[in-house]
Amino acid sequence: MQRRKAIQVAGLLLGGAFVSINGLLSGCGQPGDTGFDEHTISLLDEIGETIIPATPASPGAKAAQVGLLMQAMVMDCYPKEQQDVFLKGIRSFRESVKATTKKDFEQLTVPEKEAILVEMDREAVTYNRDRHPGTPVHYYSMIKELTVWGYFTSEPGATKALRYVMIPGRYDAQLPYTKGEKAYAI
C-alpha cells in the first residue's frame, strides 16, 4: 500500500516537473513571430551607426550588431505595451522617411540621416516631457538608449571605444584623469 502511494507521488512529481518545463518553454517565442524582420534589424543597425558612427579608432554601432540586441531586449525584456510602442514607432519611422525623402533610411547620406535623427530626438524630448505618467517613453528614446547601452557593453564597444582591463586591480576613486582619455569599460 505504501509502495503504491510512493509510486503515485513520484508520478505526480515527475508529471509536475514535465508540465513545468513545458510551461517554461511555452513562454519562449518562436523565431519569426517577433515583429522584427531582416529589414527592421538592418534599419536599427543604420540608426545605431548614425548615433555612434565608426571612427578610425573604434568601430561603430553596426559592428556591435545593435539591431539584434534591440530585438532581443525589446522582445525578451520589455512589457507588451512598450513592445507595441517600439514596433509601431519603427514602422511609422520607416514610412515617414520614405514619404519625406522617397528613399529608405539606409539609402540616405550621412548628413541626411543625422538631420532626421536630430529631428526625431527633438520630437522624443518634447513627447517625453509632456507625456502622462505611466505611459511608455517615445520609441526613439528606446532606440537611442538601447544603442548606447548595447554598444558600450558589446565587445567592440568595450574593447575598442573604451579601455578594457581584463583583470582590474583595486578600486581607486581618485585615479588621475587626463582629458581625452578613454573611459574604462566595466
Side-chain angles (χ1 to χ4, degrees), residues 25-62:
L25 292 177
S26 69
C28 299
Q30 297 295 318
D33 66 352
T34 62
F36 286 82
D37 57 12
E38 279 184 36
H39 188 66
T40 302
I41 292 171
S42 171
L43 174 61
L44 292 171
D45 279 339
E46 284 296 326
I47 293 171
E49 187 72 15
T50 307
I51 294 170
I52 303 175
T55 67
S58 62
K62 196 185 293 185

Side-chain angles (χ1 to χ4, degrees), residues 11-166:
L12 284 174
L13 287 175
L14 289 174
F18 183 72
V19 169
S20 295
I21 290 170
N22 276 343
L24 286 174
L25 292 177
S26 69
C28 299
Q30 297 295 318
D33 66 352
T34 62
F36 286 82
D37 57 12
E38 279 184 36
H39 188 66
T40 302
I41 292 171
S42 171
L43 174 61
L44 292 171
D45 279 339
E46 284 296 326
I47 293 171
E49 187 72 15
T50 307
I51 294 170
I52 303 175
T55 67
S58 62
K62 196 185 293 185
Q65 299 179 328
V66 293
L68 285 174
L69 175 111
M70 286 187 222
Q71 176 190 20
M73 290 302 295
V74 169
M75 299 315 295
D76 294 347
C77 302
Y78 281 20
K80 178 78 173 127
E81 185 181 20
Q82 288 181 338
Q83 290 175 2
D84 292 343
V85 167
F86 189 93
L87 291 170
K88 185 178 172 188
I90 198 69
R91 276 192 298 272
S92 74
F93 176 83
R94 181 184 297 141
E95 291 167 4
S96 170
V97 169
K98 187 82 171 182
T100 306
T101 64
K102 310 293 183 220
K103 294 179 183 174
D104 289 329
F105 184 78
E106 295 91 330
Q107 298 170 324
L108 300 175
T109 63
V110 170
E112 290 171 328
K113 291 176 185 176
E114 290 172 350
I116 288 171
L117 293 188
V118 166
E119 186 57 37
M120 288 302 304
D121 197 46
R122 282 192 195 116
E123 180 184 316
V125 167
T126 302
Y127 173 86
N128 291 335
R129 185 187 61 222
D130 299 339
R131 73 184 169 100
H132 296 289
T135 57
V137 297
H138 193 275
Y139 72 93
Y140 182 71
S141 299
M142 294 184 219
I143 291 173
K144 193 172 168 184
E145 179 181 301
L146 287 171
T147 298
V148 172
W149 178 76
Y151 178 74
F152 287 109
T153 56
S154 71
E155 182 179 343
T159 59
K160 303 280 189 319
L162 299 174
R163 271 194 282 181
Y164 178 73
V165 180
M166 183 180 283

